[in-house]
Amino acid sequence: MKRKSISCMVLMILLLIGSVPALLFATGNQEKTTNAKGDAFDSTGKLVSSPATIRILMTDSAPQPLKNYAPAQQAIFEKTGVKLDYEIVPFSSYDDKKNILLATNNWPDLAYIKVEDVATYAPTGIFQPLMQYVNEKDMPNFYKFWQEYPEMKKYLLDGELYVFPVIQREESANGYGPVIRTDLLKANNLPIPQSFDELLQELAQLKKIYPNSIPWTGRKGTTQLLKTTSYMLGSGYEQVGIYYDFDKGKYVFGPASQEFKAVLATLNKAYSMGVLDPDFATTTSEQLESKMSSGRSFFFLDNSGFGVNYTKALRKLPGNEDAVLQIIPIPKNSFGESRAISYPKELPGRFYAVNAGSKNIETVVKLVDWLYGKEGSDISNYGKEGYSFEYNAAGEPEFKMDYVEKFRDATPSSYYAIYSDLGITKLNFSMYACNTKTWFEIEKMLGNWDSISDEYWKIVANDKAYHSPVINPSLTIEESERTADILMELNTMLAQEYNKYIMGLEPVQNWDKVIKRCESMGVRELEQIYNDANARAMQR
């Protein structure tokens, strides 16, 4: 009796001083209730009756480093009783580490994966099938999105769902676009170029005026150069060469098309004119930022939103107070067309798979659905109420000025520094995720939103050259295995060819020989597989 009294006394002291959350001592089956937001909570007021830890395999990113137990994750724990424990792997080695962990089935409760991983690993049984939860009872928040975006059915593999997709919240779409020093164009009486040919001519003129410059630079080497330019120049590339061509209305393997010769011809022209960075094949993200922010380079064709931050850095340099890096409308290619693909507004192509061997599957499902809801989304995009945000009279979250002010001069930007500090938004673990919404709000609070920003988003919004991207269809297991084999052989061969043609070591007309080699490796079969799969998806 005495021992029991002492135990009770210790328990009461711990609860009173707050060193141990009261929810630690919840036992037995708890009666579940539903809050006003539709989330299923038990009688403790939490998603779970006793505290749980969910481990997640995540990748880091240069602008927004991750950390464990940031304020948003603390708030998630306080609200739900679920602690998020990240296993953080650098972006440069993430795919290798992820593939090893998945292949050996030695991975956490959740993992950030690519949609291509589904066909590779789902047949092994390591991913938890999820369609059983996609209903109004088990996942009411996600079920609403499932009904709102029927194109998500393309994520199904043989009728089963193996990933939870990130959905974007009030996103403004931009994408890969041409960004140039418009102040230098104006100073040297050069008009906004209307075609890629005019663009190269004007960059060549700037090279003569500023002989130590590297007019056009980029990042991540040849693959990124092809990803960002190919569609605009008349063909396409995306991740591995296969892409949906809106003009043709079908999937095409870009490098095996006649139009791809126009891509190589333009890039070769830029290289031979001394306009394209001579180190294009090995450039890094850090080198792109350095060259653009220092004024050594005048043009890039990549994520056009980078230009706003580069302008701010440029203006800190003496003599560059009026510098402007601004997007221009998509120039016409050699076929007389202006065309581009924007980033997705609703479905950004970020996915999380659940470990079928996890002991926390029920908890994962509850938590993920809560994150799709408003309260979970508010926390995972604004942080901790009272610390980094407050609710306004309309019930919408707003960042607190005293918190935001701490990051006024942060690099690479105030908003990325805030995202990293709080553990929020799309590049962290947020299922209904902000990116531009919170970015705009932070910049306007700090007074960083200026006429350049307004002009940028107006140019993008008004440029009719942009298409919204399509979701690639899911392939059967057999199709996935076959396409993987074809793509591996194709891209291994092609990786040795691109630079020869861009640098002029081989004449562009010889690319027909490369196309024939692609055809001997099954490229037309590859295209047929994708188009057949797309036809199936459209019939659902």
Side-chain angles (χ1 to χ4, degrees):
M1 187 76 182
K2 184 176 181 182
R3 179 176 298 176
K4 182 176 180 181
S5 298
I6 292 173
S7 298
C8 290
M9 185 178 296
V10 171
L11 173 58
M12 289 302 297
I13 291 171
L14 289 172
L15 290 173
L16 287 170
I17 66 176
S19 60
V20 178
L23 61 91
L24 282 171
F25 303 95
T27 58
N29 294 323
Q30 303 291 329
E31 182 180 353
K32 294 183 179 179
T33 60
T34 302
N35 68 5
K37 300 179 181 68
D39 303 309
F41 287 81
D42 59 35
S43 59
T44 66
K46 312 289 182 180
L47 281 178
V48 293
S49 58
S50 59
T53 297
I54 299 299
R55 295 170 55 240
I56 310 176
L57 185 66
M58 300 277 283
T59 182
D60 218 328
S61 63
Q64 187 181 331
L66 302 183
K67 59 183 178 181
N68 257 311
Y69 217 44
Q73 285 72 55
Q74 295 174 29
I76 288 171
F77 177 71
E78 292 168 6
K79 290 287 185 179
T80 67
V82 180
K83 180 179 179 180
L84 303 181
D85 183 13
Y86 296 162
E87 183 176 336
I88 303 167
V89 181
F91 176 83
S92 60
S93 57
Y94 186 75
D95 280 344
D96 290 340
K97 179 68 178 291
K98 174 200 67 181
N99 289 337
I100 290 171
L101 294 177
L102 294 180
T104 58
N105 198 14
N106 181 28
W107 55 295
D109 301 289
L110 279 164
Y112 166 66
I113 69 167
K114 296 177 180 177
V115 72
E116 294 86 358
D117 295 325
V118 175
T120 302
Y121 295 104
T124 68
I126 66 170
F127 293 160
Q128 173 68 15
L130 302 173
M131 276 306 296
Q132 60 189 302
Y133 308 111
V134 185
N135 57 68
E136 202 164 13
K137 177 177 177 291
D138 294 313
M139 298 192 77
N141 294 315
F142 178 59
Y143 186 62
K144 290 177 184 176
F145 287 123
W146 185 257
Q147 292 177 308
E148 184 177 353
Y149 301 120
E151 60 267 38
M152 285 198 289
K153 292 180 180 179
K154 286 188 175 183
Y155 299 145
L156 298 176
L157 177 65
D158 292 339
E160 183 58 79
L161 182 69
Y162 293 98
V163 289
F164 286 126
V166 172
I167 297 168
Q168 295 192 137
R169 177 176 174 177
E170 297 179 49
E171 181 77 353
S172 297
N174 60 346
Y176 296 143
V179 178
I180 196 167
R181 284 283 300 274
T182 52
D183 62 305
L184 293 184
L185 294 182
K186 184 176 181 180
N188 293 284
N189 297 313
L190 297 172
I192 299 297
Q194 302 299 305
S195 68
F196 276 96
D197 188 59
E198 289 178 18
L199 171 66
L200 297 187
Q201 294 298 333
E202 293 188 12
L203 289 176
Q205 286 181 258
L206 291 177
K207 174 71 173 176
K208 290 180 181 178
I209 299 168
Y210 309 98
N212 293 325
S213 66
I214 300 173
W216 178 359
T217 193
R219 61 174 179 151
K220 298 183 181 179
T222 305
T223 298
Q224 184 74 1
L225 179 64
L226 294 174
K227 281 172 58 177
T228 57
T229 63
S230 292
Y231 194 83
M232 293 181 198
L233 294 176
S235 182
Y237 189 85
E238 289 199 3
Q239 298 293 331
V240 289
I242 192 79
Y243 76 102
Y244 186 82
D245 193 297
F246 287 91
D247 291 336
K248 295 181 178 180
K250 64 179 181 179
Y251 279 89
V252 179
F253 187 78
S257 67
Q258 286 296 317
E259 291 84 356
F260 197 74
K261 291 193 291 186
V263 177
L264 295 172
T266 300
L267 295 177
N268 169 248
K269 184 176 182 179
Y271 183 85
S272 62
M273 293 170 67
V275 165
L276 182 62
D277 195 327
D279 297 323
F280 72 89
T282 57
T283 50
T284 65
S285 296
E286 292 76 16
Q287 288 171 329
L288 168 64
E289 182 175 353
S290 174
K291 290 172 184 175
M292 298 307 305
S293 300
S294 66
R296 193 178 182 199
S297 293
F298 313 135
F299 175 82
F300 70 90
L301 204 167
D302 205 296
N303 183 333
S304 53
F306 292 165
V308 177
N309 292 333
Y310 296 158
T311 295
K312 292 172 185 174
L314 262 173
R315 289 186 167 188
K316 294 178 182 179
L317 301 178
N320 286 274
E321 292 80 7
D322 296 322
V324 179
L325 274 160
Q326 186 59 278
I327 191 171
I328 59 174
I330 304 300
K332 289 183 170 58
N333 56 32
S334 59
F335 302 102
E337 302 168 334
S338 295
R339 57 185 229 160
I341 298 176
S342 67
Y343 293 150
K345 286 186 65 174
E346 291 88 14
L347 301 169
R350 291 180 64 87
F351 306 94
Y352 291 90
V354 182
N355 191 332
S358 169
K359 297 179 180 179
N360 297 303
I361 291 175
E362 182 179 349
T363 299
V364 168
V365 170
K366 288 181 180 179
L367 178 68
V368 168
D369 190 64
W370 179 78
L371 288 169
Y372 280 119
K374 187 176 187 306
E375 184 176 53
S377 179
D378 288 348
I379 290 173
S380 62
N381 290 291
Y382 287 84
K384 195 170 184 178
E385 185 181 3
Y387 173 69
S388 57
F389 81 94
E390 298 283 9
Y391 283 101
N392 62 22
E396 293 302 316
E398 291 182 350
F399 285 110
K400 295 182 65 177
M401 187 64 203
D402 59 347
Y403 173 79
V404 170
E405 182 63 40
K406 299 174 187 178
F407 301 89
R408 176 173 292 277
D409 298 317
T411 55
S413 67
S414 298
Y415 58 89
Y416 268 134
I418 288 172
Y419 293 176
S420 183
D421 182 67
L422 290 176
I424 58 173
T425 66
K426 184 172 68 175
L427 295 182
N428 207 290
F429 186 54
S430 178
M431 300 307 299
Y432 185 29
C434 295
N435 180 33
T436 57
K437 180 180 190 293
T438 42
W439 164 12
F440 295 173
E441 291 168 358
I442 290 167
E443 292 295 272
K444 290 177 182 179
M445 289 178 71
L446 291 173
N448 292 335
W449 191 270
D450 53 20
S451 59
I452 297 174
S453 300
D454 271 333
E455 183 183 13
Y456 169 81
W457 289 102
K458 286 178 182 176
I459 292 171
V460 174
N462 293 329
D463 194 341
K464 296 181 180 179
Y466 289 96
H467 287 283
S468 297
V470 300
I471 295 175
N472 290 337
S474 60
L475 307 179
T476 66
I477 295 169
E478 293 77 13
E479 287 172 338
S480 296
E481 291 175 350
R482 179 59 181 150
T483 57
D485 289 342
I486 295 172
L487 283 168
M488 180 177 292
E489 188 176 7
L490 277 173
N491 286 314
T492 299
M493 180 272 290
L494 288 168
Q496 303 172 41
E497 299 295 330
Y498 295 129
N499 292 343
K500 297 177 187 176
Y501 289 82
I502 295 173
M503 298 172 69
L505 303 177
E506 286 279 354
V508 171
Q509 58 265 30
N510 284 359
W511 192 254
D512 285 329
K513 297 178 181 178
V514 177
I515 293 176
K516 289 182 179 179
R517 291 177 65 188
C518 290
E519 291 174 339
S520 70
M521 294 176 178
V523 72
R524 303 307 172 208
E525 179 188 355
L526 173 74
E527 292 173 334
Q528 190 64 49
I529 289 172
Y530 267 86
N531 284 304
D532 288 347
N534 194 51
R536 289 198 307 267
M538 297 300 288
Q539 292 173 359
R540 288 182 182 142

